[in-house]
Structures are given as C-alpha cells and as structure tokens.
Amino acid sequence: MKKIVVLGSTGSIGTQTLDVVRSNSDMEVVALAAGSNIKLLEAQIREFKPCMVCVWDEEKAKELRILVRDCQVEITTGMEGLLACSVIEEADIVLTAIVGMIGIQPTIAAIKAKKDIALANKETLVTAGHIIMPLAQEYNVKILPVDSEHSAIFQALNGENYSRISKILLTASGGPFRGKTTEQLKKVTLEDALKHPNWSMGRKITIDSATMVNKGLEVIEAKWLFGVGFDQIEVVVQPKSIIHSMVEFVDGGVIAQLGTPDMKLPIQYALTYPDRRILEGERLDFKTLSNIAFETPDYNTFKGLSLAYEAGRLGGSMPTVYNAANERAVAKFLNREITFLEIYEIIEDAIQSHHKVDNPSVSEILQIEAQTYERIESKFHV
C-alpha cells in the first residue's frame, strides 16, 4: 500500500491527485493540507479518511473541527500543521502542490524524514534548489517531478546518463497570447488572460502561462532537477501541447515524451514510479495528427521568460526575487489593480533594485521574499 500525503489537496493538482488515488486501490491518503476551502476538505476527509489534516487558516480550522467532529482525524493549522503532515510516520511519499514559498519548509522536513517528494510546487526549487537537491541526495530521497514538462524530461532520461545531456528542449504552448505584439498586450483583460488554449489550471498558474513566467520558473527548476546549465535549456513553443518536452543527447539523438494534455499522467507516474499503470482517458490519434509545429518564443514581448534566464544566471537570491515579484504582481493583476504588462515592470524593477545574496538560507529566502513584497507595495500601491 502506497501511503500518500497531499499538500494542497483542494487545488487543481491536489484534486487530480485524489482522482488518481481513487483509481488505484493500493494507494492510501494519510494526510491532507489545504488553505481555506473547508467545504471541499470536509468531503475529502469523509472519503479518504486521513489520520491528519492541516488547514492554513486557524478560524477555518475551528469550523472544520465542528464539521468533522464525528471523524477520527487530527486537525492542525499553519506552518506547524504543514510540517506535522509532511513528516507523518505512515507516509511513503509527500506530494507538494501548495502554491508559494510556504512549500519550502515542509519539503525540507519531509526529506529529512526520508519521504520521497512528488514535486508540484515550483517555488521550492526555484528559490531553494541549492538547498533541496543536495539534501535529497544526502537522505537518499527521490524528487519526482509532477510538472508535465519536467515529468516528460524525467521520463525521457529514464535509464540514461545525465552527463550525456546535450540540451533540454522545454516545450511551451505559448499561452492565450501567442503571436501577439506588445501593443496588443496593452489591451488584454483579466478574462482574456484566464483563457488557456490547452490546459485547465488554477488562476495564478494560468496567468503565469499567459506571461510565460511559468516557463521561466520551469527553466530554473530544470537546472536543479537535471543538473544542467542555463545554456543547455532551450524553450520551444509547441502550440498543441502534444510534445511535453524533449532531451537532446551528445550523439544528436533526441528523446521526446508525447501525450494528451492531462495532468493525471505525470501525477500518476510520480506516485507509481518506476511502474506504469493503466490510466483511463483520451489517447493521441496519430492518424489525425497532420503536423506538430514548433516556434521560437518571443523573448522581447514575453519578458517573463527573458527575465527568468537573467535571474537564473545571476543566481543566489535573484530567482527568489523573480518569483516573489511575480507572485505579488499576479495577485495585483487578479485583483484588477494593475495591467497585464505591469506584471513585467514589477518583476524587472525588483530584480534591478536587489543586491544579490549568494547561497541564501531558508530564513534569508523568506526575508528576501518579504522585502520584495514590501518594495512592490510601496512603489506600486494603488
């Protein structure tokens, strides 16, 4: 029986993870963590019967305790609760799908408790890859990527020698604004930005896809996951999201992973690795595929991508600033406080004003995040 902790159980990845668990009778959920959606969390508790649950908000936790008083479950709160869920003795693997840097400390705690990590929290490696990857090696823990692109690369590298990678070809759909000019982007609305052509995702990640910041974060993640330099990571636009990513080796051979755009595949692969299981769903029909086209990303218009390479190459605390600035800028855009293009302005300003810290500790990462937020609030206050 594979015993699983799901951090972020009420979000897009979390709910799809629970769909995977439903389809596999040898999987059991031992702990769940969520932000504030206690109605859905109550339903998950009643169905999956976890030993422990964390609710980030203390008031919501009080409500939940009343709702599930007839259930045998321990309700915890805040960071303390997240850490308790991450190290719960029964667990084999912790799937981290919470959004934001609050995912770093639970991931570190889980690694130290020798739990494998199914990683769907980008911020963990973007800001703390220099801490996470050596720690996973020290404790002999697997970091199994859940992102469709990183899962594709991981699958393409199965059985291969990582030192023989020539380059990683990270595919991008191009989002809803592919082909648009900067002038056209001045007029886009929140509703326009939330219409992704291929994937059904949460609001924040959908905006990140529209700005191509999401792909920028994935570039930085790929550097840590696969031990390559930024010059070895090339982003290519593949609008239909059929090829999820590719690896070119030193002999010129290229291995690609293809499939329909369904997040359940990378989720299940991470949970069952190295096994493959039956997964119901749509299959690619190569008889009807007339072509698979590729394009070069527009780095000038979609500055989220070029700024990621800049922050990644600078290293140290710069990726933390890039991530934090984007997080706050997207929140402002979702609240209709800023325009779409001002997301880039906020990120660029944050990078240019920051004095880099080499090899920041977790406490320094969180402090730099807070400082970045403060600068944005003071300078871009509505």
Side-chain angles (χ1 to χ4, degrees):
M1 188 67 74
K2 177 69 72 77
K3 301 195 174 186
I4 301 162
V5 173
V6 184
L7 305 182
S9 68
T10 58
S12 175
I13 297 293
T15 52
Q16 290 180 87
T17 299
L18 295 177
D19 285 341
V20 170
V21 172
R22 285 186 189 100
S23 302
N24 289 272
S25 59
D26 60 350
M27 291 182 187
E28 181 186 344
V29 175
V30 294
L32 296 171
S36 59
N37 188 348
I38 59 166
K39 189 173 180 184
L40 179 53
L41 190 54
E42 180 196 357
Q44 292 174 349
I45 290 168
R46 294 191 180 280
E47 180 179 358
F48 294 98
K49 300 175 174 55
C51 315
M52 185 183 289
V53 165
C54 173
V55 183
W56 186 254
D57 184 271
E58 177 66 54
E59 290 305 308
K60 293 286 185 183
K62 286 176 185 172
E63 286 180 50
L64 185 65
R65 285 190 187 101
I66 295 165
L67 291 170
V68 297
R69 58 187 178 275
D70 58 318
C71 301
Q72 291 284 96
V73 61
E74 181 183 352
I75 310 292
T76 62
T77 61
M79 182 55 71
E80 195 177 320
L82 273 180
L83 294 172
C85 287
S86 301
V87 302
I88 190 167
E89 193 176 340
E90 295 89 341
D92 301 308
I93 188 165
V94 177
L95 186 136
T96 64
I98 40 180
V99 176
M101 292 194 213
I102 59 167
I104 299 172
Q105 292 181 75
T107 304
I108 289 172
I111 291 170
K112 288 181 175 177
K114 299 193 174 178
K115 315 293 184 190
D116 287 334
I117 306 295
L119 189 68
N121 170 276
K122 286 181 167 53
E123 294 82 359
T124 298
L125 285 188
V126 168
T127 66
H130 61 289
I131 298 169
I132 299 292
M133 295 311 288
L135 201 63
Q137 195 169 12
E138 181 187 341
Y139 285 90
N140 196 26
V141 161
K142 295 185 193 75
I143 305 287
L144 300 157
V146 170
D147 247 342
S148 62
E149 293 83 357
H150 296 115
S151 177
I153 296 159
F154 183 67
Q155 291 176 60
L157 285 167
N158 201 2
E160 297 288 347
N161 185 337
Y162 281 31
S163 69
R164 295 293 180 263
I165 298 170
S166 173
K167 65 180 170 182
I168 282 169
L169 296 149
L170 199 65
T171 58
S173 68
F177 304 139
R178 179 176 64 86
K180 291 199 181 296
T181 63
T182 303
E183 196 60 36
Q184 288 171 315
L185 291 181
K186 286 179 183 176
K187 299 167 190 168
V188 302
T189 65
L190 173 59
E191 288 71 24
D192 295 332
L194 287 170
K195 290 174 189 167
H196 195 281
N198 302 333
W199 296 93
S200 173
M201 307 178 289
R203 282 161 64 87
K204 194 261 182 187
I205 196 171
T206 304
I207 302 302
D208 285 349
S209 178
T211 60
M212 289 198 77
V213 164
N214 190 48
K215 204 54 50 181
L217 293 168
E218 287 174 10
V219 166
I220 301 170
E221 264 192 292
K223 175 245 189 301
W224 290 112
L225 278 169
F226 308 113
V228 293
F230 287 104
D231 292 341
Q232 290 175 278
I233 305 169
E234 182 182 336
V235 175
V236 290
V237 175
Q238 199 279 293
K240 291 183 180 176
S241 297
I242 290 167
I243 296 177
H244 298 304
S245 275
M246 302 170 276
V247 179
E248 180 186 289
F249 294 92
V250 290
D251 59 0
V254 178
I255 296 179
Q257 189 264 332
L258 289 73
T260 54
D262 183 353
M263 280 306 299
K264 290 194 192 77
L265 194 157
I267 291 167
Q268 181 170 284
Y269 189 72
L271 294 178
T272 62
Y273 178 82
D275 191 16
R276 282 190 186 269
R277 301 274 180 90
I278 291 169
L279 181 67
E280 298 301 328
E282 193 183 343
R283 299 292 192 256
L284 284 182
D285 182 356
F286 287 91
K287 296 188 296 296
T288 62
L289 269 181
S290 56
N291 64 73
I292 301 176
F294 295 97
E295 299 169 10
T296 302
D298 182 348
Y299 288 89
N300 294 322
T301 301
F302 297 94
K303 290 183 182 175
L305 192 49
S306 51
L307 288 167
Y309 274 99
E310 181 186 339
R313 288 191 170 104
L314 287 167
S317 56
M318 281 300 182
T320 296
V321 172
Y322 172 84
N323 179 77
N326 174 67
E327 212 166 270
R328 189 48 54 97
V330 170
K332 284 182 171 294
F333 179 66
L334 288 169
N335 286 336
R336 304 180 193 273
E337 294 173 25
I338 62 169
T339 65
F340 183 79
L341 288 177
E342 282 178 304
I343 295 172
Y344 297 143
E345 285 179 38
I346 287 171
I347 299 169
E348 200 162 12
D349 173 77
I351 289 172
Q352 288 174 354
S353 63
H354 178 66
H355 297 289
K356 186 179 76 167
V357 177
D358 289 319
N359 298 311
S361 64
V362 173
S363 61
E364 285 175 318
I365 287 167
L366 297 175
Q367 187 180 8
I368 289 159
E369 176 193 39
Q371 288 167 352
T372 305
Y373 288 167
E374 283 167 22
R375 177 178 176 83
I376 291 165
E377 288 308 321
S378 62
K379 190 166 181 183
F380 296 90
H381 185 65
V382 176

